[in-house]
């Protein structure tokens, strides 16, 4: 029994020590730290925040954010520092710039263009169908319908 317990304890001790535990002077600093690591994206992981990433860079960035908070830097200074190093990609909510505006507006513009194109295409096909002359069989059928309709009206008038 003891032979199984020792390897398990060693394993759990190594897992627990892999994640650094940060000590803060105040709850405000701790909440700032948590906000940063939840709102910043890991540069190597796709769509994963710093809090959820186990990559080495995420660990380094968490330590760096911790040190900046301990140094008394403001939220803006920390954010500006991270953006200067990694670009807007690190932010889950990047600022509204020309590039991000294009990313947000492009799908809407493309949808409008597609709808207009479909409407124009449908109108063009309807117009082409109306302009096509009837072939001889269709013309004969139309003439027959018109003739029977005309003779039917003349026969109904005396009955009224």
């Amino acid at each position: 029994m003891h032979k199984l317990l020792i390897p398990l304890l060693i394993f759990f001790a190594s897992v627990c020590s892999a994640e650094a535990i940060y000590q803060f002077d105040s709850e405000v600093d701790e909440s700032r730290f948590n906000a940063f690591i939840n709102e910043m994206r890991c540069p190597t992981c796709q769509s994963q925040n710093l809090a959820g990433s186990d990559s080495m860079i995420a660990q380094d960035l968490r330590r760096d954010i911790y040190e900046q908070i301990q140094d008394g830097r403001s939220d803006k200074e920390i954010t500006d520092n991270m953006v200067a190093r990694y670009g807007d990609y690190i932010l889950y909510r990047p600022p509204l710039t020309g590039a991000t505006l294009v990313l947000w507006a492009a799908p809407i513009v493309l949808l409008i263009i597609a709808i207009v194109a479909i409407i124009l295409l449908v109108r063009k096909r309807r117009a082409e169908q109306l302009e096509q002359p009837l072939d001889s069989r269709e013309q004969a059928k139309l003439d027959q319908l018109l003739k029977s309709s005309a003779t039917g009206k003349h026969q109904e008038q005396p009955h009224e």
Side-chain angles (χ1 to χ4, degrees):
M1 177 80 171
H2 294 289
K3 291 181 182 180
L4 290 174
L5 227 123
I6 293 173
L8 279 173
L9 288 174
I10 293 171
F11 172 74
F12 284 118
S14 67
V15 168
C16 292
S17 67
E19 181 62 40
I21 298 175
Y22 298 104
Q23 299 293 323
F24 293 94
D25 296 334
S26 69
E27 288 183 22
V28 173
D29 287 345
E30 186 175 358
S31 66
R32 286 177 60 208
F33 176 79
N34 289 326
F36 276 117
I37 66 172
N38 285 310
E39 290 296 321
M40 289 197 171
R41 188 185 325 247
C42 175
T44 57
C45 306
Q46 290 192 347
S47 297
Q48 193 172 19
N49 62 14
L50 294 176
S53 175
D54 291 331
S55 70
M56 294 297 287
I57 186 107
Q59 292 173 17
D60 290 344
L61 289 175
R62 286 191 296 263
R63 186 182 63 250
D64 187 30
I65 291 170
Y66 172 77
E67 289 170 359
Q68 290 185 55
I69 289 173
Q70 294 301 315
D71 289 343
R73 291 191 178 180
S74 70
D75 290 356
K76 181 168 177 18
E77 289 174 322
I78 295 171
T79 301
D80 290 347
N81 182 7
M82 292 295 179
V83 169
R85 289 168 52 192
Y86 299 100
D88 286 335
Y89 174 78
I90 199 160
L91 303 174
Y92 269 119
R93 294 185 204 135
L96 187 61
T97 63
T100 55
L101 187 61
V102 168
L103 289 175
W104 281 99
I108 296 167
V109 170
L110 291 174
L111 178 66
I112 291 170
I113 290 171
I115 290 171
V116 169
I118 290 170
I119 290 170
L120 292 175
L121 184 65
V122 167
R123 283 185 178 176
K124 182 180 177 185
R125 286 197 178 167
R126 282 187 185 164
E128 287 174 355
Q129 287 175 350
L130 292 175
E131 292 175 1
Q132 287 181 346
L134 300 176
D135 64 12
S136 59
R137 193 182 79 213
E138 291 172 333
Q139 187 64 46
K141 189 173 181 180
L142 179 62
D143 290 341
Q144 182 183 6
L145 286 171
L146 289 173
K147 192 182 291 183
S148 66
S149 171
T151 56
K153 286 183 184 176
H154 291 297
Q155 292 174 354
E156 290 178 4
Q157 287 178 352
H159 293 291
E160 291 179 5

